[in-house]
Amino acid sequence: MVHRVIPLVAQAAPLPVPLYAVGEDGGTLYDQLQRPLRDLRISVTDRCNFRCSYCMPKEVFGKDYPYLPHSALLSFEEIARLARLFVAQGVRKIRLTGGEPLLRKNIEVLVEQLAALRTPDGEPLDLTLTTNGSLLARKAASLKAAGLNRVTVSLDGLDDTVFRRMNDVDFPVADVLRGIEAAQQAGLGPIKVNMVVKRGTNEQEIVPMARHFRGTGVVLRFIEYMDVGATNGWRMHEVMPSAEVVQRLSAELPLAALEPTAPGETAERWGYADGSGEVGVISSVTQAFCHDCNRARLSTEGQVYLCLFASRGHDLRSLLRGGASDGQITQAIAGIWHNRSDRYSQLRGAGMLAPTEKRIEMSYIGG
């Protein structure tokens, strides 16, 4: 059998920050395809205690991997300042990520700072955090007290052998389940659980995962397997399309399609026919959602990426540490967002966005 291997995207220097005229009062930013900036994902650390093959595999992130020095990371005050400027330009949802965000010391301090932010019309943000759940049992209560709204937990199976093999550090699934329970007790909900489905590895866990979380209020979401962050090659034969996941689930637990809850939502929603909850599928490979994407990512060292899988970003840390005013940084943010559609339009016009390759090509757009 001939396997198609998707190559790595080479690392490159950060792109210069474009400037764009924006009023002092701010307002919602739109790109040239009229996509608003609504969702900001903030990476607070480049470290993780798991070594999942699709994210931070051991062969890349080994003991000699050069992690960023603490001085290179954005401080909590720098993150909060940038978040405030993004919120003034239309961001309504902030998700804290990593690496594993709960490894960042005193993360509750940052949560408290972000929870205090308000939109121009006085509304609080939707403040959430994605975690592997390894530290959630001990952190859930303090995160809630600091102002976190909810959490998303990554969990790729209930079978302990399968889970230990996928996290590649021999971490037990029971500890993650305890973390989810602690989050429920703390009121960090609605909780979402993300399962990456890799054909030949954990597809047998689809139905058991659904049965386990059905009726609990936890929303289980199945994500098509692909490389995350351009750390390793990946093969299309290892991808189980979301349509196949839904078909497999429906054979055991009848489903009915649900309407999206918001524009730009990444997950396609399906409800159990008996009303006992819902699941979602995220078709990042077979049905990429670039056309209505409203997300940007702020990296640990202050780079803004316009796609979750981009390899090149725009440097805001230099502006922060170079004495730039809020107005200058706001102009930079506006320019970054406004100009992103140029590359998307070029690729789309050139016919380079085939359904199974949109997400891969977006690695180049995000630069």
Side-chain angles (χ1 to χ4, degrees), residues 325-340:
S325 67
D326 284 359
Q328 290 171 322
I329 297 174
T330 295
Q331 288 181 355
I333 293 170
I336 290 167
W337 189 256
H338 179 76
N339 289 316
R340 78 167 184 151

Side-chain angles (χ1 to χ4, degrees), residues 8-9 11 52-57 59-61 65 227-233:
L8 287 174
V9 179
Q11 295 295 322
C52 302
S53 62
Y54 55 82
C55 186
M56 295 181 69
E59 57 267 29
V60 177
F61 297 90
Y65 183 80
D227 175 50
V228 178
T231 57
N232 58 285

Side-chain angles (χ1 to χ4, degrees), residues 1 32 154 205 255 309 311 348:
M1 180 183 294
Q32 295 181 45
S154 299
E205 293 293 290
L255 300 173
F309 300 92
S311 61
R348 185 179 61 174

Side-chain angles (χ1 to χ4, degrees), residues 114-241:
L114 298 177
L117 297 177
R118 292 293 181 269
T119 67
D121 54 4
E123 294 297 319
L125 302 178
D126 180 9
L127 183 58
T128 184
L129 178 147
T130 295
T131 174
N132 61 27
S134 60
L135 300 173
L136 190 54
R138 73 181 73 168
K139 287 276 192 176
S142 60
L143 289 168
K144 178 63 176 180
L148 189 69
N149 299 135
R150 54 192 179 86
V151 293
T152 296
V153 180
S154 299
L155 179 61
D156 295 332
L158 290 176
D159 181 272
D160 196 55
T161 300
V162 171
F163 182 69
R164 287 174 189 259
R165 183 169 66 247
M166 291 196 73
N167 66 57
D168 207 15
V169 292
D170 206 32
F171 194 87
V173 70
D175 287 1
V176 177
L177 294 176
R178 278 193 287 270
I180 294 171
E181 182 180 355
Q184 287 178 304
Q185 293 174 351
L188 289 171
I191 296 170
K192 294 178 181 177
V193 169
N194 286 346
M195 175 184 172
V196 173
V197 181
K198 183 178 179 182
R199 192 187 296 277
T201 301
N202 69 333
E203 73 266 33
Q204 71 276 11
E205 293 293 290
I206 292 172
V207 173
M209 285 277 285
R211 290 191 185 280
H212 180 84
F213 290 109
R214 179 183 175 214
T216 66
V218 173
V219 178
L220 176 61
R221 302 191 300 184
F222 300 95
I223 303 176
E224 291 178 342
Y225 166 76
M226 70 170 295
D227 175 50
V228 178
T231 57
N232 58 285
W234 58 280
R235 296 169 175 81
M236 282 297 296
H237 79 277
E238 295 175 323
V239 177
M240 176 174 284

Side-chain angles (χ1 to χ4, degrees), residues 303-339:
Q303 301 285 327
V304 174
Y305 293 87
L306 302 178
C307 173
L308 299 181
F309 300 92
S311 61
R312 302 175 70 197
H314 301 269
D315 182 16
L316 292 185
R317 186 182 63 187
S318 295
L319 293 178
L320 282 171
R321 298 182 180 180
S325 67
D326 284 359
Q328 290 171 322
I329 297 174
T330 295
Q331 288 181 355
I333 293 170
I336 290 167
W337 189 256
H338 179 76
N339 289 316

Side-chain angles (χ1 to χ4, degrees), residues 265-291:
E265 187 173 51
T266 58
E268 180 182 289
R269 300 172 60 222
W270 293 84
Y272 293 114
D274 63 1
S276 58
E278 69 175 81
V279 296
V281 290
I282 299 178
S283 309
S284 48
V285 177
T286 62
Q287 299 182 52
F289 29 80
C290 309
H291 65 285

Side-chain angles (χ1 to χ4, degrees), residues 31-33 35 337-348 365:
D31 67 12
Q32 295 181 45
L33 297 180
R35 292 173 293 184
W337 189 256
H338 179 76
N339 289 316
R340 78 167 184 151
S341 63
D342 289 345
R343 293 180 180 84
Y344 177 67
S345 298
Q346 291 168 8
L347 289 175
R348 185 179 61 174
I365 298 165

